[in-house]
Amino acid sequence: MNEEYKQPACSSTDYRLEEEHLTMVLSKLDTAIDELLAHLTAKQQEIVKMKQYYWDSVNEFDEFKYEDLANRQMIDAEIDAAQEGSVKLHLYRRLKDSPYFGRIDFCYEGEDTPETYYIGVGNFSPRKSAEPLIFDWRAPVAGLYYDYDKGPASFEAPAGTISGEITKKMQYKIAGGRLLYMMESDIKIDDDILIRELSLHADARLKSIVSTIQREQNQIIRNRKDRILVVQGCAGSGKTSIALHRVAYLLYNNRKELSAKNILILSPNTIFSDYISTILPELGEVNVSEMSFDELAEKELAGIAGFESRYSRLEYLLTRPYDPEVRAAREQKIRCRNSPEFLEQLEAYVRELPAELVDYRDLSYKKIYRDSEAIRALFEDKFRLVPLLKRMSAVAAYIIDEEETLTGKPFDGIESGIVERKLCEMYRTMDIRSLYARFLIASGEEASDIMSGLLDYEDVYPLIYLKNLLLGTSPDSDIRHLVIDEMQDYSPVQYALIHRMFRCPMTILGDEAQIMDDTPVSIRPTLSKIFGASARFLTLNRSYRSTFEIASFAGRLIGQTDVTYFERHGEEPFIGQYPDYDSMMEAMRTRITQEADQAKTIAILCRTAKDAQAVWEACSSFLEISLQTADSASFHSGITVMPFYLAKGLEFDSVHIPGVTKEAYHSALDRQALYISCTRALHRLSLYCDGKKSSFLPDAAL
């Protein structure tokens, strides 16, 4: 531990009193842990006895199984209680290392003496009825710590707004049960403390930020008023951490309505999912479900079509096919599919489809007869709200019900099926791919590749959305809060699909500057149109992740002017130029070797998967290095090499970017790749050129 952590920032008397308080809290925690261990031991023994009784007596239970059910329920209740105790034990053991990080003294309006609240990652009371010695950071009163300086303050409690005055605000660093430093602060989370925390080396997983949550971040985390919360945050503003802490906050404050199984995170890939996997357990919650949108696509298109992956398309664009006309046509197609106008055209096509989808004919079966106009009236008027490809089934059910009412005789399943089949045969086609191809042809596009082989990625979600419009879907009622990260990488069609599939509150976060496209566009108009007045837009324009030198360097790459960089200083980014690939790789290996003893995480970020494979082969004999691919299931610490797009949302102590030449990095998409790569670095950034350097880089090495 650095010596600066051991210097008290307050008087020796205050420091001694705080140490005495810490000793008392740790003693209470020891007692609580011992009691909880004894309780859990007794509980486990009781569960064993109950299970033994159940199996010894199961054959003697009453024939209606009431006793069997009652015994099972009692066993399940005891198991649930034991699990809750285990969770509490895990929390108490964590609190033993660092019980709290903050304190506020709050004098309630009308009172003369302030109340003292110590704030940590979880609640701790020595007894059930006792006032907590530590308040959970998510408790209403803890909001004072993040939102106010000394002086007038208020917080929202179940009973309403509580007003008063903060008379004292303290910040602590406690590790291993030892008070390393303390600081009385009249301002928000002290910049000195934030600098110390941000200067630490990156762990193998994303860390909790409860001790350094900033005011603007806290307002997003604790927002319970807005149904759709959209956060545009610059690189390094803490978007992902905010989203996960928001999930923990919502779970803590909505126990009756919300559990972990009711929350879904749409994440970029499995590496990212693994990278964030420890945050919620750190905050006292179990992990929630995560999946990529492409996993959802696989389920939706099972048995209908296979498709190119998102990253395969990106690799296609980055590797630049030799035929410029082919590439230009593909880029134009992608721009078309990603436009709001394309979504409008697709929806208009579905509205106009009944006129050409159905060949109305008379229905005749046994004594049932309906002429074509009667069927048209039912299809286009009476059941106009039923999805198109389910509408004839609704017409069949209606006709059968009419006949049963008239005759007083029920139709059997075979007869009902025949009537429904005859009506469904009036559809000219029910094949989703064929209908999508017809739509493209009607729009003046070539569609010969839609009916065979893998779908291009840009056609995947329009096809799923068309399927959804034609067959309908019930919104997933089990999901009561949806978190979408990297919002800039979703198209209008994807958002329209999300809106139909999830009718729940959402937290949507991203950075338009990090879009993986050669034509960056604002997603806000799309979200405003789809979600309407229920969407609230917030902006985070202060970057905390990287040193000032790295963040400002990255910002200059894209001409960024609306971001404030946190004043944590470090080395200037290194730019090295070398005559050939081998000498460049040797120089990079040397710099990495020099860093390896200090840095916990070092990333080599490449333009493409092929480039990453080549770098791994050139380094694996000299360095202990791992290769991450689109198929990787987990995040690797130490030294890793990967294509830049897999690093989105991740951060590393040091980032190395090889091959930043004019030939490799010259398009708008390349600029985005370079910006994303640079913004992954916390403390050190190194770029290498094995030829003429990219024009995106400064004229002279920094």
Side-chain angles (χ1 to χ4, degrees), residues 469-518:
L469 292 174
L470 295 177
L471 292 172
T473 187
S474 297
D476 192 330
S477 58
D478 288 335
I479 303 303
R480 298 176 192 169
H481 196 95
L482 182 68
V483 177
I484 302 173
D485 207 352
E486 304 293 349
M487 69 179 185
Q488 71 279 358
D489 292 331
Y490 293 87
S491 68
V493 169
Q494 286 174 299
Y495 277 114
L497 184 61
I498 287 170
H499 183 52
R500 288 180 64 88
M501 299 184 74
F502 303 99
R503 296 297 178 91
C504 60
M506 300 181 192
T507 302
I508 304 174
L509 311 97
D511 177 16
E512 291 178 347
Q514 295 185 63
I515 191 169
M516 291 193 293
D517 201 339
D518 59 357

Side-chain angles (χ1 to χ4, degrees), residues 326-368:
V326 171
R327 178 181 172 84
R330 181 75 187 272
E331 290 175 337
Q332 174 57 32
K333 179 183 173 184
I334 292 170
R335 282 192 289 272
C336 171
R337 301 294 188 270
N338 288 345
S339 69
E341 293 75 20
F342 184 81
L343 172 61
E344 293 172 1
Q345 292 167 6
L346 186 57
E347 291 174 336
Y349 169 73
V350 173
R351 288 194 297 270
E352 298 165 2
L353 191 56
E356 66 172 86
L357 181 63
V358 183
D359 177 19
Y360 295 105
R361 300 188 295 274
D362 296 345
L363 170 69
S364 179
Y365 176 68
K366 293 188 175 180
K367 294 183 179 181
I368 296 177

Side-chain angles (χ1 to χ4, degrees), residues 279-417:
I279 286 286
L280 288 172
E282 268 190 47
L283 298 174
E285 303 292 345
V286 298
N287 267 326
V288 300
S289 298
E290 296 176 48
M291 71 174 185
S292 70
F293 211 32
D294 288 1
E295 289 177 294
L296 183 147
E298 289 177 3
K299 295 178 182 178
E300 289 290 319
L301 293 182
I304 297 176
F307 58 90
E308 173 191 41
S309 75
R310 175 190 183 194
Y311 293 133
S312 293
R313 183 182 73 178
L314 189 58
E315 286 284 337
Y316 173 91
L317 295 175
L318 288 166
T319 51
R320 303 191 178 101
Y322 290 110
D323 189 333
E325 291 186 5
V326 171
R327 178 181 172 84
R330 181 75 187 272
E331 290 175 337
Q332 174 57 32
K333 179 183 173 184
I334 292 170
R335 282 192 289 272
C336 171
R337 301 294 188 270
N338 288 345
S339 69
E341 293 75 20
F342 184 81
L343 172 61
E344 293 172 1
Q345 292 167 6
L346 186 57
E347 291 174 336
Y349 169 73
V350 173
R351 288 194 297 270
E352 298 165 2
L353 191 56
E356 66 172 86
L357 181 63
V358 183
D359 177 19
Y360 295 105
R361 300 188 295 274
D362 296 345
L363 170 69
S364 179
Y365 176 68
K366 293 188 175 180
K367 294 183 179 181
I368 296 177
Y369 177 78
R370 299 288 189 281
D371 63 33
S372 61
E373 285 305 311
I375 293 172
R376 181 193 298 272
L378 289 172
F379 189 90
E380 296 185 5
D381 297 327
K382 187 173 184 62
F383 294 105
R384 65 185 182 280
L385 299 181
V386 176
L388 272 174
L389 295 185
K390 289 186 174 180
R391 204 175 290 182
M392 276 303 182
S393 295
V395 171
Y398 180 81
I399 292 173
I400 290 167
D401 183 64
E402 276 190 327
E403 291 299 317
E404 288 178 336
T405 302
L406 287 172
T407 63
K409 296 179 181 179
F411 269 57
D412 63 30
I414 294 176
E415 291 179 319
S416 297

Side-chain angles (χ1 to χ4, degrees), residues 101-104 119-121 135-149 166 169 187-189 208-219 221-222 245 249 283:
F101 52 80
R103 164 186 165 180
I104 50 170
I119 299 163
V121 296
F135 283 79
D136 193 294
W137 67 276
R138 298 167 289 183
V141 72
L144 294 168
Y145 177 75
Y146 300 109
D147 288 340
Y148 291 97
D149 309 330
I166 295 176
K169 182 175 178 181
I187 59 174
K188 59 186 174 60
I189 309 305
S208 161
I209 61 168
V210 289
S211 63
T212 57
I213 292 172
Q214 301 294 286
R215 182 176 297 166
E216 72 273 15
Q217 296 171 334
N218 189 53
Q219 290 170 354
I221 290 169
R222 293 175 182 262
H245 285 69
Y249 175 81
L283 298 174

Side-chain angles (χ1 to χ4, degrees), residues 552-612:
S552 56
F553 173 87
R556 289 195 297 273
L557 291 174
I558 60 170
Q560 193 171 59
T561 59
D562 58 348
V563 173
T564 301
Y565 307 119
F566 186 70
E567 292 280 347
R568 177 175 69 86
H569 290 279
E571 298 178 16
E572 294 283 357
F574 168 82
I575 300 176
Q577 290 186 267
Y578 306 92
D580 53 51
Y581 185 82
D582 290 340
S583 57
M584 177 187 73
M585 295 305 297
E586 183 179 358
M588 185 175 72
R589 291 194 300 264
T590 299
R591 286 183 66 82
I592 290 174
T593 301
Q594 293 169 348
E595 296 174 349
D597 290 339
Q598 294 182 330
K600 290 183 180 178
T601 54
I602 298 174
I604 305 172
L605 302 183
C606 305
R607 280 183 72 255
T608 67
K610 183 179 179 181
D611 293 339

